[in-house]
Amino acid sequence: MTPAKLAEAVLAAARVLFSERGLDPAALPASTTVERPRNPEHGDYASTIALQLAKKVGVQPRELATGIADHLGRAPGVKSVEIAGPGFLNIRLDTASAGQLARVVVQAGREYGHSDRLAGRRINLEFVSANPTGPVHIGGARWAALGDALARLLRATGADVGTEYYVNDAGAQIDRFARSLHAAAGGRPVPEDGYAGAYIQEIADEISKEHPDADEATFRAEGVARMLREIRSSLAEFGVPFDLFFRESDLHSRGELEVALARLREQGHVYDAEGAIWLRTTDFGDDKDRVLRKSDEEWTYFAADCAYYLDKRERGFDRLVMLLGADHHGYIGRMLAMAACFGDDPDQTLEIRIGQLVNLVKGGEPLRMSKRAGTVLTIEDLVEAIGVDAARYALARFSFDSPIDIDVDLWTRSTRDNPVYYVQYVAARTASVARNAAEVGLTRGEVDDFRPELLGHEKEQDLLKALGDYPAIVATAAELREPHRVARYLEELAGAYHRFYDNCRILPVGDEPIGDLHRARLWLNDATRTVISNGLDLLGVSAPERM
């Protein structure tokens, strides 16, 4: 029995009790959950439903819990229900019911852990969005790993997700980029406010070779095109595809800034002062009003932000999620206020996550210089140091707001203290067990021959409980936008499997005949392989069959 099925049984028992006692059915929730108690002696699962309902229906929690327990105790697969404290329900499953989870997982395969929790939501997820003026740096790599993992999580819970990279190809930073390339091509020092690094000279030389008489406009167009191709390639090699690379310049050329300005004027939040056009964001909590168009008639970056927001909303997205770097804290207030200026409820339509810095450390010392980019470490530097799998796992293993030191020595080590190795080793070991089982003629057999009641060993039960936690972990990680929950769960699951493997022999030894217990344990082994593979896939990390 899965935790979800048990939760349904708890709610069904509450419905029966309410019907018997004439209690108000409107007080019953549409769904409920069960949790694993911290102390295993308190049972397999616990429910607080009696505590949640008691005040609504005017019945003492323990009295309500007693009635629910009476009905729940008769449910198939429930061994016992005990009442603890003010009204907690401590539930124990019979061994066969608990063991059936192995079959459920194997038969569900890649779908195990998926749900429709966020079905009907259209979510636009924007991440990385580094300026096309240099390679993707290590901070951008963090957003790539987290953003792609989050997209996978949201899709696994039923959301319709569009992933997007915003290409800032208009404005002053592109002008500086073009001037830097032009100077490098002519053998001159780059401007003081320009871009440096070996990549600038490389791109300048390439453009000069194809366009010997290139002017600054040519360096601008060709430089951005080359840089964007490189960014796309770097991200693709990191396993991060995007549904759309959206160019800021298109907002300008299509007149979308004028459309956004007109919409904001209609809403009554635009005013003219000092020769400029302003948006009154202070009406919605911003610390100051923002200029949309300057007195020289140049559009501001914020005006493009307004147009981009409106564009996303008019493409049908009801929730816009943006993952931004640590230097964007001041951006949040103005963006939320802008959404309100359009007439939206920003709490419902806009979500901005700010990430912290990433350092690459080797031998206890931080690495700071890229061979090619000069001033920053790039995604390629990270991959070269520890590999794609380790990099993606390391970056997704921590919450957005935690600074990270990635220790090259740790993440390249083939030992159990390396988290990605520890988890991937279980993927490889479960695959190895399956291969070895096939060699000696051990198979899971037919579904009807599976004997889940044989999985009664403490370590088998612990592993089954860990497998049962996976769907709730996925749903919570998606709803809270916290992919690191999946990584930490996988490490706990890996530990449970290792303890099972060390205490419960799966394969027959010598001339020992193959029995039902061997087959039941092979189901449990293969269920673990399924969940480890599914979880790693959500993080964009491979589940190797051999290591």
Side-chain angles (χ1 to χ4, degrees):
M1 179 183 291
T2 67
K5 290 294 183 184
L6 178 58
E8 291 175 7
V10 170
L11 191 55
R15 289 196 192 100
V16 173
L17 178 68
F18 271 46
S19 176
E20 288 179 348
R21 298 195 178 184
L23 297 172
D24 182 7
L28 287 166
S31 63
T32 189
T33 59
V34 294
E35 298 178 352
R36 285 171 60 189
R38 292 183 180 180
N39 186 346
E41 294 181 2
H42 294 166
D44 298 321
Y45 294 96
S47 169
T48 59
I49 190 170
L51 298 170
Q52 297 166 14
L53 295 174
K55 184 177 288 187
K56 294 180 180 179
V57 296
V59 178
Q60 288 297 315
R62 279 190 70 90
E63 181 184 346
L64 204 56
T66 300
I68 294 173
D70 182 53
H71 291 290
L72 180 61
R74 304 172 201 169
V78 176
K79 182 179 180 180
S80 66
V81 185
E82 299 172 356
I83 302 165
F88 294 101
L89 296 175
N90 288 340
I91 308 163
R92 298 180 192 277
L93 303 180
D94 64 40
T95 303
S97 178
Q100 282 288 358
L101 181 66
R103 174 189 58 78
V104 170
V105 174
V106 171
Q107 290 185 313
R110 290 182 61 84
E111 293 303 307
Y112 182 68
H114 287 211
S115 71
D116 59 358
R117 185 77 67 92
L118 298 179
R121 300 301 304 270
R122 287 209 67 208
I123 299 175
N124 180 282
L125 180 59
E126 182 200 337
F127 57 102
V128 184
S129 296
N131 291 339
T133 54
V136 178
H137 57 70
I138 195 170
R142 182 178 193 180
W143 286 128
L146 280 169
D148 187 58
L150 183 53
R152 293 167 186 245
L153 277 165
L154 293 170
R155 287 167 177 151
T157 46
D160 179 4
V161 181
T163 57
E164 200 147 315
Y165 185 117
Y166 184 52
V167 182
N168 298 94
D169 62 341
Q173 84 280 1
I174 298 298
D175 293 336
R176 294 197 301 271
F177 180 56
R179 289 196 296 270
S180 300
L181 292 173
H182 198 190
R188 302 184 304 277
V190 299
E192 190 173 318
D193 63 347
Y195 293 88
Y199 77 98
I200 290 291
Q201 191 65 58
E202 290 173 15
I203 295 173
D205 291 344
E206 291 173 4
I207 296 173
S208 295
K209 186 175 181 180
E210 292 185 18
H211 305 277
D213 300 321
D215 56 12
E216 193 168 299
T218 302
F219 279 106
R220 178 190 179 100
E222 291 293 323
V224 168
R226 281 168 166 75
M227 203 67 259
L228 190 53
R229 283 198 299 270
E230 181 175 323
I231 289 171
R232 286 175 180 264
S233 176
S234 296
L235 292 170
E237 290 175 8
F238 201 51
V240 179
F242 281 89
D243 296 323
L244 178 65
F245 281 79
F246 190 105
R247 300 181 74 120
E248 180 188 355
S249 58
D250 288 341
L251 293 171
H252 290 266
S253 64
R254 295 196 298 246
E256 292 194 40
L257 279 78
E258 287 85 356
V259 171
L261 175 59
R263 185 73 59 86
L264 291 167
R265 278 195 186 278
E266 289 173 8
Q267 295 290 329
H269 301 296
V270 171
Y271 66 94
D272 300 289
E274 302 172 7
I277 301 174
W278 299 70
L279 184 63
R280 192 177 287 105
T281 53
T282 51
D283 285 350
F284 298 99
D286 195 8
D287 59 344
K288 61 181 180 180
D289 292 341
R290 305 291 170 172
V291 176
L292 295 174
R293 197 163 195 171
K294 295 182 287 186
S295 58
D296 61 2
E297 298 192 349
E298 286 290 318
W299 291 103
T300 62
Y301 285 123
F302 184 63
D305 291 334
C306 294
Y308 189 34
Y309 174 88
L310 184 60
D311 183 277
K312 288 178 179 179
R313 293 284 286 128
E314 294 195 335
R315 280 186 273 143
F317 292 106
D318 54 62
R319 186 77 170 178
L320 312 184
V321 181
M322 302 172 67
L323 310 185
L324 302 176
D327 57 344
H328 283 75
H329 276 286
Y331 195 70
I332 298 176
R334 76 189 71 168
M335 289 297 290
L336 295 175
M338 173 264 289
C341 288
F342 274 117
D344 287 340
D345 178 354
D347 289 339
Q348 298 300 317
T349 63
L350 185 59
E351 183 179 332
I352 300 175
R353 297 289 173 129
I354 301 294
Q356 292 302 317
L357 301 176
V358 183
N359 294 309
L360 196 60
V361 177
K362 184 173 177 59
E365 296 294 327
L367 303 176
R368 301 189 184 282
M369 299 292 286
S370 169
K371 296 175 184 176
R372 183 163 178 267
T375 56
V376 296
L377 291 172
T378 67
I379 193 171
E380 286 82 8
D381 295 321
L382 176 62
V383 170
E384 182 181 348
I386 64 175
V388 171
D389 276 350
R392 290 198 58 154
Y393 193 98
L395 291 167
R397 188 174 181 261
F398 299 91
S399 63
F400 288 109
D401 55 359
S402 298
I404 304 176
D405 286 333
I406 297 179
D407 188 334
V408 172
D409 299 323
L410 170 65
W411 289 94
T412 54
R413 200 176 293 155
S414 297
T415 56
R416 291 172 69 145
D417 59 343
N418 176 352
V420 72
Y421 178 85
Y422 185 61
V423 173
Q424 286 185 316
Y425 186 77
V426 171
R429 173 167 271 183
T430 52
S432 175
V433 167
R435 288 194 302 271
N436 293 336
E439 289 177 3
V440 300
L442 170 60
T443 67
R444 294 194 304 264
E446 298 298 324
V447 172
D448 292 341
D449 297 329
F450 175 43
R451 299 280 303 281
E453 70 274 12
L454 298 178
L455 298 175
H457 191 284
E458 177 187 2
K459 302 307 178 187
E460 293 167 340
Q461 289 291 304
D462 288 345
L463 180 54
L464 285 162
K465 290 174 188 175
L467 294 171
D469 288 340
Y470 180 66
I473 291 291
V474 173
T476 301
E479 289 180 334
L480 298 181
R481 320 296 194 236
E482 295 182 344
H484 71 275
R485 289 176 177 266
V486 175
R488 298 308 175 107
Y489 162 80
L490 290 175
E491 291 163 37
E492 293 178 6
L493 177 60
Y497 179 81
H498 284 306
R499 291 186 288 275
F500 156 73
Y501 183 88
D502 291 341
N503 288 276
C504 303
R505 193 176 67 250
I506 302 172
L507 303 178
V509 177
D511 296 330
E512 180 185 4
I514 294 172
D516 288 339
L517 180 57
H518 298 116
R519 282 186 280 271
R521 286 176 172 170
L522 186 58
W523 276 93
L524 188 49
N525 175 84
D526 293 356
T528 305
R529 166 79 190 178
T530 297
V531 175
I532 288 284
S533 298
N534 289 357
L536 286 172
D537 184 66
L538 288 177
L539 301 178
V541 177
S542 69
E545 295 193 357
R546 289 179 170 83
M547 288 183 72

